Structures are given as structure tokens and as C-alpha cells.
Amino acid sequence: SRIIYPKTDDQRNRLQEACKDILLFKNLDPEQMSQVLDAMFEKLVEGGEHVIDQGDDGDNFYVIDRGTYDIYVKCDGVGRCVGTYDNRGSFGELALMYNTPRAATIIATSPGAVWGLDRVTFRRIIVKNNAKKRKMYENFIQSLPFLTSLEVSFQLHYFSSCGMGIYLGIKISSRLKIYMADCFFIVESGEVRITMKRKNKQDVEENGAVEIARYSRGQYFGELALVTNKPRAASAFALGTVKCLVMDVQAFERLLGPCMEIMKRNIANYEEQLVTLFGTNMDIADPSA
Ligand code: CMP
Ligand code: CMP
């Protein structure tokens, strides 16, 4: 049976805006998407309210409409804040996907609102779709060089559980620009061009941006800002049509811990390359810069 919560025009607009970049919704067809939107309901939250408590059964998946939220994970009985959501994103998919207790506590740190999607609709539409996606990408995921240090079962678990979606950039003149913030990207097809501007403003005006790398199938980018907590060090443009698997920062931090060392080591390579190109490492990893 199909669940429908009637909505005002304002609610529908806000809901559409909030769901626009939700990775788990990315490869739903229009009919599935409309069923999901119909079934979502608005829930207002107060500052300090627990939207989810670790250990509970999963009832709903949530998409953030507005407000800030802390993520707490208990380890040996002690809760530790492991991340935050700032006016966008989603949470609560793990318990619904795996029939497990809630893996974290989510506490609102301001008044806000979330859109809930009930467990039954989530499983009927999103989980089913995700299983299809996982089948499609199984071989690709297992062939990714930076994941080879992980066991196969881990690789698949990671990538099917983390809300990844297929991402197509928006077209800007003849190029597609990768615009999503706070995400990590793995190129599935096509080619991505990475460019950087020199720090000296006068230089930028005279020289524009310099191409520093090109990435194709199996290569990743966008990890640096997530590892260093700094702004993006460079810009990424899709050359023609590019398909990327995308992971949000919360999933990246939760799931890619074991690969973090490989990524950190890579920073030294970036710096070396920048010294060769610009005569400076551009402070890409220096937290004081
Ligand atoms: P779920 O386990 O259903 O409920 C808590 C949610 O917090 C979880 O799904 C994820 O969506 C989200 N979350 C964000 N960061 C983490 C984390 N580091 N560990 C576990 N859950 C997290
Ligand atoms: P991030 O800073 O998040 O966004 C831009 C990305 O460009 C960066 O992560 C890296 O993945 C990628 N990149 C490729 N070469 C370099 C380089 N030499 N210096 C910094 N970033 C680079």
C-alpha cells in the first residue's frame, strides 16, 4: 500500500530542494522518486532533541530540511561526537538497510526540521534499488586499486551501505563542472580534469588556472578536503560526460578509515607535484594556512 502525506506548495518545494543531492535517491526512476516524496512527512525538531538514539530499532530514514545536528557514537560506553550535519544531508539508513540497531545517536543542536521516510517504503524502494546498483558495480568496486587492501566482503559492504549514487555533473559551457561539496568521487567513466590557480592573485589574472591532473576510470578525487578539513585545493571539471560514484563526508569518514593511510601518503605526492609546478606546496595540508 502506498503512503501519501499531503503537502503544501511550500513544503513540496522545500522537500524537493532538500532531496536534490541525496545520494541514495540519485538513481531512482521518476515514478519511484514521486512515491518517495509522497511518503515523506515533515518533523519539526527542537534544539537538544534526540532524533535517533543509538541501539534503538530503526523506524524512519531522515533527510535534513534545516538545522544542525551532532553525530555521537558510543564506544565502550562512552559517547564521542564523530561528526556533524549542517543544514543538509541525510541519516538513519543503516538500521533500515541491515535490520540492525541504530549505529549512532543524532542530536539536534539548533531548532530545525527533517523529512522522515518510513521503514517499509524505504525498504520497498531504496533498498531494492541499492541491491541492483550493487550488482552493477560489484566488479568495478572490487577492481579499485585503493581498496585492494580491504577484504572483498568489506569492499562490497562499504560501497552498498554508504549511500553512494551515480553522479552526473552540470554542464557549464562545453564542460561539466563537479559541484557537489563535502563529497568524495570515484570516476566510473569519462575523464575529469583537475586545475589549480596560483595563490598570488596577480598571477591568477595573468595565468589563469593550470591543469595539474586528469583522472579516468577507477581513480578518485575530492578526498583531500575531507582528510584535511580545508577548502578544496583544486577544481574538478568533467570533460564531456562523466559518471562518478559519490560518497558523502559522513560515509567517507565512517567507511574509509582503513584506506585513510593510503590517502594521507598521497598528499606528499600532491605537494611534490605542486613544488615542481608552482615552486611551492601551496600549503594544501598545513592546518595553519
Ligand atoms: P542508523 O544506524 O540507522 O542511525 C544512525 C545514523 O547515523 C546511521 O544510520 C547513519 O546514517 C548516521 N551516521 C553518521 N555517521 C555515522 C558513524 N560514524 N557511525 C554510524 N552511523 C553514522
Ligand atoms: P580536494 O582538495 O578535496 O578537491 C580537489 C582535488 O583535486 C583534491 O581533493 C585531490 O583529490 C585532487 N588533486 C589532484 N592533484 C592534486 C594536487 N597536486 N594538489 C591538490 N589536490 C590535487
Side-chain angles (χ1 to χ4, degrees):
S1 62
R2 197 176 154 168
I3 295 174
I4 299 180
Y5 283 93
K7 294 174 187 71
T8 63
D9 286 349
D10 167 64
Q11 282 181 313
R12 194 153 266 279
N13 289 340
R14 282 189 290 114
L15 176 59
Q16 257 161 359
E17 185 58 31
C19 293
K20 197 167 66 133
D21 290 331
I22 299 302
L23 299 175
L24 278 173
F25 294 169
K26 281 280 173 198
N27 41 1
L28 299 182
D29 65 36
E31 171 55 26
Q32 290 171 324
M33 192 65 220
S34 122
Q35 287 195 27
V36 165
L37 293 178
D38 280 347
M40 292 185 91
F41 59 91
E42 186 169 22
K43 176 180 155 69
L44 300 178
V45 298
E46 291 170 15
E49 186 174 333
H50 290 212
V51 185
I52 284 179
D53 276 303
Q54 187 171 347
D56 282 359
D57 287 339
D59 46 3
N60 301 308
F61 168 66
Y62 296 103
V63 171
I64 294 168
D65 181 275
R66 58 184 184 274
T68 48
Y69 304 81
D70 279 345
I71 308 161
Y72 281 88
V73 175
K74 239 187 254 164
C75 193
D76 298 329
V78 182
R80 199 167 59 88
C81 181
V82 298
T84 57
Y85 296 99
D86 184 0
N87 282 290
R88 62 201 167 101
S90 62
F91 52 81
E93 78 289 3
L94 296 180
L96 308 189
M97 277 182 164
Y98 295 108
N99 286 317
T100 49
R102 294 294 199 186
T105 295
I106 308 290
I107 304 177
T109 50
S110 71
V114 292
W115 295 98
L117 178 68
D118 69 280
R119 175 188 192 99
V120 172
T121 309
F122 183 88
R123 290 194 62 85
R124 181 168 64 79
I125 299 178
I126 314 287
V127 174
K128 232 188 192 164
N129 208 272
N130 211 48
K132 243 196 276 166
K133 189 174 66 185
R134 173 175 156 156
K135 241 197 168 79
M136 250 162 71
Y137 287 99
E138 214 159 74
N139 291 336
F140 175 57
I141 288 161
Q142 286 176 23
S143 73
L144 293 172
F146 65 97
L147 285 182
T148 48
S149 59
L150 302 179
E151 283 172 33
V152 168
S153 59
F154 259 106
Q155 294 171 357
L156 290 177
H157 175 71
Y158 278 3
F159 278 81
S160 61
S161 72
C162 69
M164 285 187 54
I166 302 165
Y167 172 75
L168 284 168
I170 37 170
K171 203 162 187 178
I172 293 180
S173 66
S174 61
R175 296 180 182 126
L176 295 167
K177 186 171 188 219
I178 308 287
Y179 69 97
M180 263 172 122
D182 297 341
C183 281
F184 166 69
F185 301 83
I186 302 161
V187 182
E188 201 255 321
S189 66
E191 208 178 8
V192 174
R193 180 169 178 256
I194 308 287
T195 67
M196 196 183 238
K197 289 180 179 167
R198 287 166 200 261
K199 270 207 162 159
N200 179 325
K201 199 158 179 280
Q202 204 164 354
D203 262 358
V204 171
E205 273 154 20
E206 281 168 17
N207 303 324
V210 178
E211 176 170 326
I212 52 173
R214 277 202 190 201
Y215 293 136
S216 53
R217 185 174 168 83
Q219 293 179 296
Y220 65 83
F221 62 94
E223 82 296 359
L224 186 60
L226 308 188
V227 172
T228 60
N229 283 318
K230 293 187 63 167
R232 297 291 190 194
S235 300
F237 296 90
L239 297 169
T241 305
V242 169
K243 267 190 186 174
C244 289
L245 296 176
V246 191
M247 197 185 271
D248 62 33
V249 60
Q250 286 82 17
F252 178 80
E253 287 175 348
R254 187 174 76 239
L255 303 170
L256 283 184
C259 307
M260 208 53 105
E261 281 317 305
I262 300 176
M263 293 185 180
K264 282 194 175 150
R265 255 181 272 141
N266 206 26
I267 296 178
N269 299 338
Y270 291 153
E271 289 177 326
E272 213 170 281
Q273 181 196 15
L274 297 176
V275 170
T276 310
L277 276 171
F278 301 120
T280 152
N281 67 10
M282 309 284 265
D283 303 321
I284 52 169
D286 175 4
S288 64

